[in-house]
């Protein structure tokens, strides 16, 4: 027989009470009493239950009634044995008692033989043999008076005395043959297999297993979808890059072919103007094929062969990653100035001549930030990086890299004196990465900034150092070699602390200009979708292509590289001759480098990009941007 598939559905209390109210109605009970085939009764029950807003099948209703009757019988048996203290196992004991007691009052013998046992099976609602046996045993056990009537129905059978008989003969009396046969038939009763009274545990286990499997399948499909999305974006990016490279090649060919055409035309016919150059038409069927007029084919092919692929790619990147057309000319001027501040590498230099950078920060909770800033300074081109941190952070930071010089003095009693001894050897100071907000550390950082200002050293303030500036703006206010690198939240706090009014988020360029002017023309770098740089007089936008990945430590890479570039910019004589703020040039170079490192790392690692991956891209990015 088919297995019952409806026993796993859960019933709410409201649904169960509604079912009992319908099942306990007089016409339903009258239809159940004395009828062996009662499938039509449960179909009527299911129909009435559906009218009340609960959709259940007749088989589900029958199984639920059977379960409630079993719980009622267990509770009733416990009441008889424990003086009414066992009814708690049946939540609906009172309702079942009212319904079943009325049925017993009508006809106990009929309830035992045809009512309880018969209504468990019916046409179209079959059970297996074990369920039928359980149903009959439970039905027979529902009414204890039935056992009394059975004892009265059958007379007492005398115990037969064994006598010597021949084979094939029987020793029992002739008159007791029928009762004895009945007793012998009833005697070998198969022990009923007891079912678990609480199947909810198994159901919950199955439910949890299925939920875990479904969740695992969902995450696997989501991961596949994200990978497909990344592949699609990479394909689109490659296609757009190819198209733009072809356009750059076309423009270069056109610009180089015009003088040649005009010269040839003037020599052959001075009065005849040169023929117009028709631009190529890009086919919609394929982005990689270009249809050109036959007269222009040789000219374009010769010019395209003269340009290398690397030069085309570089021209494309320079054109499309330096910002909008309105600011492109100004940004290219600053970009060219960044190249002029980079000191050449010669064999005549000694260690430390290209930069010794000090990082003020690093506590027990934050050890990665000072490491990222210091190692980024080395990767950009500084010769030495010093980290002034607390004692409990020193060992951890040393374990990150042997290239760093770590001083565990930031939380000592004479921290300012210990750091001041190293200031004459440092070319720039970066305050804030991993500093924390303890009063002792902030006080030490403030005094170090004052000592650095007295020595005219460029000071870059980031992270928790900006928290100090928010509380005490005068610590850096008016210092022309000071550079602040806030993100949007840090910028908002600093702006509201100085202007005592909410910032206009819709006009960030104006807000950056106002904050820099309020800080005494200190250079401010607002990090975001486009990095905005201002010294209080102008606003410069660095829109070198980055990526959508934002991971912890990117700001530390910016501050470390900015410390090196600030030293180079303030030491370059050409910048001073052009009356341009060296801090702005250094900030523009550091922002461009950080954004391009983020772009290249994202191309390799995608969503899993970390700051460590970006640091690995500093060398190639620096060569591509500033040395090519």
């Amino acid at each position: 027989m088919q297995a019952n598939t409806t026993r796993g559905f859960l019933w709410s209390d409201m649904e169960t009470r509604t079912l009992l109210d319908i099942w306990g109605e007089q016409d339903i009970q009258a239809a159940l009493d004395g009828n062996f085939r009662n499938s039509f009764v449960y179909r009527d029950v299911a129909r009435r239950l559906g009218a009340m807003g609960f959709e259940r099948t007749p088989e589900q209703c029958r199984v639920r009634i059977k379960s409630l009757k079993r719980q009622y019988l267990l509770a009733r048996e416990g009441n008889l044995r424990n003086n009414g203290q066992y009814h708690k196992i049946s939540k609906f004991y009172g309702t079942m008692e009212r319904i079943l007691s009325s049925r017993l009052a009508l006809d106990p013998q009929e309830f035992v033989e045809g009512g309880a046992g018969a209504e468990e099976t019916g046409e179209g609602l079959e059970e297996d043999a074990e369920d039928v046996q359980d149903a009959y045993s439970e039905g027979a056990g529902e009414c204890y008076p039935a056992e009394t009537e059975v004892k009265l129905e059958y007379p007492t059978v005398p115990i037969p005395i064994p006598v010597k008989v021949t084979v094939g003969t029987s020793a029992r009396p002739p008159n007791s043959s029928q009762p004895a046969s009945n007793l012998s038939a009833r005697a070998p009763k198969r022990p009923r297999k007891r079912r678990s009274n609480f199947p909810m545990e198994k159901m919950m286990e199955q439910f949890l297993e299925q939920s875990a499997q479904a969740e695992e399948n969902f995450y696997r499909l989501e991961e596949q979808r994200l990978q497909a999305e990344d592949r699609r974006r990479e394909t689109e990016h490659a296609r757009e890059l190819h198209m733009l490279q072809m356009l750059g090649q076309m423009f270069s060919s056109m610009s180089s072919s015009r003088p040649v055409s005009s010269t040839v035309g003037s020599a052959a016919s001075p009065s005849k103007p040169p023929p117009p150059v028709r631009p190529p038409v890009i086919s919609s069927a394929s982005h990689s094929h270009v249809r050109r007029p036959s007269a222009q084919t040789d000219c374009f092919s010769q010019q395209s062969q003269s340009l290398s692929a690397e030069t085309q790619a570089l021209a494309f990147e320079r054109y499309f990653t330096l910002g909008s057309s309105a600011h492109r000319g100004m940004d290219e001027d600053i970009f060219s100035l960044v190249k002029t501040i980079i000191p050449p590498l010669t064999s005549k230099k000694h260690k430390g001549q290209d930069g010794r950078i000090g990082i003020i920060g690093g506590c027990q909770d934050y050890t990665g930030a000072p490491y990222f800033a210091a190692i980024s300074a080395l990767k950009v081109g500084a010769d030495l990086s010093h980290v002034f941190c607390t004692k409990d952070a020193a060992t951890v930071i040393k374990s990150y890299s042997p290239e760093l010089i770590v001083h565990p003095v930031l939380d000592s009693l004479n921290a300012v004196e210990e750091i001041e001894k190293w200031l004459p050897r440092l070319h720039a100071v970066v305050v804030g990465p991993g500093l924390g907000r303890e009063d002792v550390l902030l006080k030490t950082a403030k005094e170090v900034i004052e000592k650095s200002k007295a020595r005219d050293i460029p000071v870059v303030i980031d992270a928790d150092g900006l928290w100090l500036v928010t509380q005490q703006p005068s610590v850096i206010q008016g210092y022309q070699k000071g550079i602040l690198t806030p993100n949007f939240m840090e910028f908002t706090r600093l702006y509201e602390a100085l202007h005592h009014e909410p910032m206009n988020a819709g006009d960030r360029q104006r807000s950056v200009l106002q904050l820099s002017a309020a800080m005494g023309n200190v250079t401010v770098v607002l990090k975001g979708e486009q990095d905005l740089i201002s010294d209080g007089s102008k606003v410069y936008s660095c829109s070198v292509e980055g990526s959508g990945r934002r991971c912890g430590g990117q700001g530390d890479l910016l501050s470390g590289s900015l410390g090196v570039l600030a030293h180079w910019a303030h030491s370059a004589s050409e910048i001073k001759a052009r009356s341009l703020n060296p801090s702005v040039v250094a900030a523009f170079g550091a922002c461009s480098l950080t954004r391009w490192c983020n772009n290249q790392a994202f191309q390799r690692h995608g969503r899993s990009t970390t700051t460590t991956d970006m640091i690995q891209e500093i060398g190639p990015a620096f060569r591509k941007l500033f040395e090519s």
Side-chain angles (χ1 to χ4, degrees):
M1 301 180 70
Q2 296 182 353
N4 194 344
T5 61
T6 62
R7 300 194 179 199
F9 292 89
L10 300 179
W11 289 69
S12 63
D13 292 346
M14 182 180 297
E15 195 173 6
T16 302
R17 291 191 180 92
T18 306
L19 175 66
L20 290 177
D21 292 339
I22 297 174
W23 182 69
E25 293 178 3
Q26 186 175 0
D27 56 338
I28 297 295
Q29 292 298 317
L32 289 173
D33 290 336
N35 292 322
F36 186 81
R37 298 185 179 275
N38 49 27
S39 59
F40 67 96
V41 179
Y42 283 99
R43 282 196 289 269
D44 188 27
V45 172
R47 181 184 60 79
R48 298 187 187 183
L49 191 63
M52 300 296 292
F54 304 99
E55 295 296 330
R56 293 287 181 172
T57 64
E59 178 65 4
Q60 291 173 346
C61 296
R62 185 195 66 79
V63 172
R64 181 58 176 166
I65 291 295
K66 177 180 177 180
S67 175
L68 293 172
K69 289 169 65 176
R70 181 183 291 112
Q71 295 177 12
Y72 166 75
L73 291 175
L74 291 174
R76 185 181 180 202
E77 183 180 0
N79 286 337
L80 295 175
R81 295 179 181 178
N82 299 281
N83 297 326
Q85 299 297 323
Y86 200 69
H87 66 278
K88 292 183 179 180
I89 67 171
S90 177
K91 183 183 294 186
F92 308 97
Y93 181 87
T95 306
M96 295 295 295
E97 177 73 13
R98 175 178 55 80
I99 298 173
L100 295 180
S101 61
S102 62
R103 291 183 61 180
L104 291 176
L106 294 175
D107 191 356
Q109 182 63 26
E110 182 181 354
F111 178 82
V112 173
E113 296 178 357
E119 77 180 33
E120 300 302 331
T121 60
E123 185 178 359
L125 304 173
E126 293 85 6
E127 292 181 289
D128 55 9
E130 184 176 344
D131 289 338
V132 174
Q133 179 67 22
D134 293 345
Y136 178 79
S137 302
E138 293 170 2
E142 285 182 352
C143 184
Y144 287 98
E147 295 182 3
T148 305
E149 295 190 8
V150 169
K151 293 179 182 180
L152 295 177
E153 179 180 352
Y154 296 99
T156 304
V157 179
I159 299 176
I161 299 174
V163 296
K164 184 176 180 180
V165 296
T166 60
V167 178
T169 61
S170 177
R172 65 175 180 270
N175 296 333
S176 61
S177 61
Q178 183 67 22
S181 62
N182 291 341
L183 288 177
S184 62
R186 293 170 58 92
K189 209 172 187 181
R190 182 172 65 89
R192 179 168 63 91
K193 180 180 178 180
R194 292 189 175 273
R195 295 178 178 270
S196 175
N197 294 332
F198 301 95
M200 186 63 67
E201 297 180 0
K202 295 182 179 180
M203 295 169 58
M204 288 301 298
E205 291 178 0
Q206 295 177 359
F207 174 74
L208 293 177
E209 291 177 359
Q210 294 175 358
S211 300
Q213 185 66 25
E215 186 175 3
E216 183 179 356
N217 294 336
F218 171 76
Y219 285 131
R220 183 170 61 255
L221 294 176
E222 186 69 12
E223 183 177 1
Q224 295 176 358
R225 186 188 67 81
L226 293 176
Q227 292 176 356
E229 185 70 16
D230 292 340
R231 289 193 296 268
R232 183 186 65 80
R233 290 178 180 175
E234 291 177 0
T235 304
E236 292 181 355
H237 180 73
R239 184 169 62 251
E240 293 175 358
L241 179 63
H242 182 68
M243 290 181 59
L244 294 173
Q245 286 177 352
M246 291 182 1
L247 289 175
Q249 177 183 352
M250 179 191 68
F251 294 148
S252 300
S253 301
M254 292 172 59
S255 61
S256 60
S257 62
R258 282 174 182 171
V260 176
S261 301
S262 61
T263 304
V264 173
S266 60
S269 176
S271 61
K272 184 178 180 180
V277 179
R278 296 177 59 187
V281 180
I282 299 176
S283 172
S284 60
S286 174
H287 296 290
S288 61
H289 299 285
V290 179
R291 297 199 302 269
R292 303 184 178 94
S294 58
Q296 303 286 336
T297 303
D298 295 336
C299 178
F300 274 93
S301 62
Q302 293 175 2
Q303 295 295 334
S304 61
Q305 292 175 0
S306 64
L307 295 175
S308 64
E310 181 178 358
T311 305
Q312 297 169 10
L314 182 60
F316 157 75
E317 290 163 359
R318 290 290 170 80
Y319 185 83
F320 287 98
T321 61
L322 286 178
S324 62
S325 58
H327 300 278
R328 189 173 297 118
M330 180 173 56
D331 291 350
E332 287 179 350
D333 291 340
I334 302 178
F335 204 87
S336 62
L337 288 176
V338 176
K339 293 183 177 182
T340 63
I341 70 173
I342 299 173
L345 295 175
T346 64
S347 59
K348 297 181 180 181
K349 289 186 177 180
H350 56 80
K351 181 179 66 176
Q353 190 171 350
D354 280 343
R356 297 183 293 270
I357 310 302
I359 310 298
I360 311 299
C363 59
Q364 182 179 8
D365 295 331
Y366 307 106
T367 58
Y371 161 74
F372 287 142
I375 201 67
S376 299
L378 289 178
K379 291 282 186 178
V380 169
D383 293 337
L384 297 172
S385 282
H386 296 259
V387 178
F388 299 90
C389 62
T390 61
K391 292 182 180 180
D392 47 9
T395 304
V396 181
I397 298 175
K398 286 182 179 179
S399 66
Y400 292 154
S401 175
E403 286 89 358
L404 307 182
I405 304 173
V406 183
H407 306 272
V409 298
L410 193 57
D411 56 348
S412 60
L413 297 178
N414 58 340
V416 179
E417 291 77 7
E418 292 291 335
I419 299 175
E420 188 179 8
K421 292 189 303 185
W422 288 92
L423 288 181
R425 308 181 188 182
L426 301 179
H427 294 122
V429 174
V430 180
V431 181
L435 178 64
R437 297 182 180 180
E438 295 184 10
D439 294 337
V440 176
L441 301 181
L442 293 177
K443 181 179 179 181
T444 301
K446 176 184 177 182
E447 296 183 14
V448 170
I449 294 174
E450 296 291 347
K451 299 292 184 181
S452 301
K453 289 165 55 179
R455 292 187 171 275
D456 200 30
I457 300 175
V459 178
V460 179
I461 301 180
D462 184 38
D464 293 324
L466 294 171
W467 176 264
L468 172 63
V469 176
T470 303
Q471 306 299 322
Q472 304 178 41
S474 60
V475 70
I476 196 67
Q477 196 168 19
Y479 186 55
Q480 298 302 307
K481 292 187 178 181
I483 306 174
L484 308 181
T485 59
N487 57 27
F488 181 75
M489 294 303 299
E490 294 166 342
F491 182 86
T492 302
R493 286 197 298 262
L494 189 57
Y495 183 92
E496 294 177 354
L498 289 174
H499 292 83
H500 305 286
E501 62 180 4
M503 184 191 72
N504 182 11
D507 191 358
R508 296 190 180 185
Q509 291 192 3
R510 181 180 179 184
S511 300
V512 173
L513 191 66
Q514 292 176 347
L515 179 61
S516 177
M519 290 296 298
N521 297 105
V522 172
T523 301
V524 177
V525 180
L526 174 57
K527 297 175 288 189
E529 183 179 2
Q530 292 184 351
D531 296 335
L532 301 179
I533 307 166
S534 177
D535 59 352
S537 59
K538 294 181 181 179
V539 178
Y540 304 87
S541 174
C542 178
S543 55
V544 173
E545 184 180 3
S547 74
R549 174 64 172 156
R550 296 291 182 269
C551 55
Q554 292 183 215
D556 304 311
L557 190 155
L558 173 64
S559 61
S561 59
L562 181 53
V564 182
L565 293 174
H567 161 57
W568 292 347
H570 284 280
S571 302
S573 57
E574 185 175 350
I575 301 297
K576 298 178 181 178
R578 298 188 59 170
S579 301
L580 188 63
N581 191 340
S583 297
V584 173
V585 178
F588 192 91
C591 291
S592 302
L593 178 64
T594 304
R595 296 174 70 90
W596 191 248
C597 289
N598 180 267
N599 176 277
Q600 295 301 298
F602 185 79
Q603 294 297 327
R604 295 177 181 270
H605 305 281
R607 191 177 292 272
S608 63
T609 301
T610 61
T611 303
T612 303
D613 302 323
M614 294 175 56
I615 291 175
Q616 300 301 321
E617 301 292 335
I618 291 179
F622 190 90
R623 290 193 299 270
K624 190 175 189 63
L625 293 175
F626 307 129
E627 294 180 343
S628 59

